[in-house]
Each structure stands twice: as C-alpha cells, then as structure tokens.
Amino acid sequence: MGATGVELRALRYFVVVAEELHFGRAAERLHIVQPAVSQQIARLERELDLRLFDRSTRRVRLTAAGRELLGQARETLAAAERVRTRARALRSGSAGTMRIGTGPDLTAHAERGVAALRVVHPDIEPVLVDRPVCARLEGVREGELDFALVRGVEREARLRVLPVWTEELYAVLPTGHALSGGGPVSLADLAALPFRHPAYERDAPLHDAVTRAFEAAGVRPVLGRPAGTVPDTLIEIGTGPASWTLASAEVLAAWPSPRVTGVPLSPPLEIPGGLVASERFDEKCVQTAVDAFSTP
C-alpha cells in the first residue's frame, strides 16, 4: 500500500467492509461497535486521500479506487500474517526452519552463522536461499524470508538493518600491473584506471556504498563497463585491458585467481555487512540471529 501511517487494523477493517458491503455486518464480524468501524474507514480515507466507498442510506459500494486497492490490502495483510506466524514459531522454538537469504559472495559468513545457529538452537533448521540482493530484501519484506545477509545496506524501508560485521575492501588489479605489487595504494592513485563499478541493477546497496566512498575521498574515477557477477568480473580484469574493481578478502578467497591481485587501500576502505529482518520480528528472534552471524 505504501501510504505513510496506514495501520494494519485499518486495512483489515477495509477488507471486511468491502466483503460485507455493510458497516453493521462488518462490525459484527470484527466483534466491535459500528462507529469504530466507520471511524477507522474515515481515517484510512483521509490518510490515503481517496474515497474507498460510496455510502448511502440504502447501500455501500466500493469506489473504483477502493476496488483497485482491495487486492493490495489483502496481500499486505497476508504478508503481515506470515511474519507473525514465523515470529510466533521462532519464539516458541517450534520454527522448524529459518529461511535466510544469501548469495555466493557471502558463503563464509553464511557458513559461520549457520554453524553457530545449529549449536545454540539445534531445534531450528537453517535453510539458505540464494537470491540477488534486491530479491533478498523483497523476500524479507514480504515474509518469504526470515532474514537476509547483505553488504552495504545502511537503511531500507520497512526493514530492520542490523550491522554484524565490517569488511575491508581491496583494489583488485591485474597481476603484474605497476600498482599491484608495491604495497597499499590510494583511490587517487587508481583514479586514471578504468573502474569496474558494481552494476546498480545487480547490487544497488554495494553500488551506493562504493559511490559514497569515492565521494568521501574526493575522487572521481574513470568508469569502465559496469561489473557483472564477481567471477566474471575477476576473469575480465585478469585477462583484458587494465582495469580494476573493489572486493573484500572473503570474496577474493572464494574465487581465487593467479591473474588478479588484491591490493590494500590507504586509507583503508570498509563496508558494513549484516542482517536484514522484518520490523515485526520481536527482539528475541532478531538477537538470536545476530548473535549467530556475529560469530568470528
């Protein structure tokens, strides 16, 4: 629905009234008095700045806007119920599974966290779900995933971003390049060399985090072709015309290649990593996951 301030209770009342097309019968289904239903619907219409119902003394009908929003309201309520169901299961220890969105470049973090989670909560079965970053975030938002591992995310609408680790980023250069073997380099040293920026559509949080790092350093890099997947980009840097990108030590360890070299930056450049959770998960559930994935 996306409107600021809209409450789930108001959406639930809207759906029931839309199904009954009668405020009295809707109040009976909701086990409240009719004026309370009318007040919630009026408040929802004010917040959305839309009329949802045409009312007369004889009948109640959905407006065109009301008909269009009804399906979205039902989807929102269903997603919220999925989150509540998962939260209740996690609190009671009967969750069965904990669905965690991740990606191939987060293998080491996922492995350590899952191992720690199995020790502390053997009754919970972690299930790793490989998805692109944006799909991970949307999966948590819609209740399809319980948590997601991410890099570079500082805030996200309707989600809790929980910092768990920081990673130092390295300049990845072709092995044998003049800057690849002489110790730390600065972003300014690399400014004239084409930079393979993480593609925004592939990893928007990482793209934005790297952009902020360049802005903070006062450097405007020469941009090469946007980076694709990590292994493809490393192959291209190692075999093609001189260019460079940024990657963490764990990413380089996951895709080792003698054709590229990770060079420390001076000053060091770090990126946050952590968990994303729904705002509706209770603190105990969230802390359980944070503790597990904070394991060194």
Side-chain angles (χ1 to χ4, degrees):
M1 298 285 290
T4 301
V6 173
E7 295 181 356
L8 291 175
R9 179 176 59 178
L11 292 182
R12 186 165 63 251
Y13 289 9
F14 164 53
V15 169
V16 174
V17 174
E19 290 172 350
E20 295 292 340
L21 293 179
H22 192 283
F23 280 79
R25 290 195 297 271
E28 291 176 5
R29 272 182 59 182
L30 292 163
H31 304 292
I32 58 174
V33 296
Q34 181 174 330
V37 178
S38 300
Q39 289 168 8
Q40 283 291 329
I41 296 300
R43 178 182 175 185
L44 180 61
E45 289 179 323
R46 288 195 301 271
E47 289 172 344
L48 297 177
D49 195 23
L50 286 170
R51 284 184 61 199
L52 301 174
F53 296 99
D54 285 326
R55 307 166 178 80
S56 71
T57 56
R58 299 180 58 185
R59 63 188 303 182
V60 175
R61 294 184 299 178
L62 280 164
T63 63
R67 287 193 297 273
E68 184 170 338
L69 293 180
L70 179 59
Q72 295 182 44
R74 285 174 170 148
E75 290 174 8
T76 299
L77 291 171
E81 183 55 34
R82 288 196 296 270
V83 171
R84 281 193 292 265
T85 299
R86 291 294 300 165
R88 286 194 296 268
L90 287 168
R91 284 197 300 271
S92 67
S94 61
T97 61
M98 179 186 287
R99 297 159 297 176
I100 305 164
T102 186
D105 58 331
L106 290 162
T107 299
H109 292 287
E111 184 176 15
R112 288 195 296 269
V114 167
L117 194 61
R118 289 188 189 280
V119 171
V120 178
H121 287 281
D123 54 320
I124 295 176
E125 178 65 21
V127 175
L128 298 179
V129 182
D130 188 348
R131 290 188 180 183
V133 177
C134 292
R136 267 177 256 161
L137 297 173
E138 193 60 25
V140 176
R141 195 176 281 115
E142 294 299 322
E144 298 168 1
L145 299 173
D146 300 312
F147 298 96
L149 291 170
V150 292
R151 280 190 183 92
V153 178
E154 295 185 353
R155 62 184 62 86
E156 191 70 27
R158 296 189 287 125
L159 295 174
R160 295 181 64 182
V161 180
L162 307 151
V164 176
W165 73 85
T166 58
E167 288 180 274
E168 184 176 352
L169 294 182
Y170 291 77
V172 182
L173 290 154
T175 299
H177 187 276
L179 295 175
S180 69
V185 296
S186 69
L187 292 178
D189 294 333
L190 297 159
L193 195 64
F195 175 65
R196 303 293 304 279
H197 205 309
Y200 185 85
E201 61 273 16
R202 184 174 294 277
D203 193 337
L206 183 60
H207 179 283
D208 291 343
V210 170
T211 298
R212 290 193 296 270
F214 279 118
E215 291 173 349
V219 173
R220 296 184 65 181
V222 174
L223 296 180
R225 186 162 50 84
T229 65
V230 172
D232 288 350
T233 302
L234 296 183
I235 290 171
E236 291 167 358
I237 289 175
T239 59
S243 62
W244 69 288
T245 192
L246 288 166
S248 68
E250 291 205 359
V251 167
L252 292 172
W255 288 284
S257 170
R259 295 180 179 273
V260 297
T261 300
V263 181
L265 289 167
S266 179
L269 175 60
E270 293 185 335
I271 189 170
L275 285 169
V276 170
S278 168
E279 290 180 335
R280 296 188 181 91
F281 266 123
D282 83 2
E283 196 59 37
K284 184 177 179 181
C285 301
V286 171
Q287 195 59 50
T288 294
V290 169
D291 290 346
F293 285 91
S294 297
T295 303

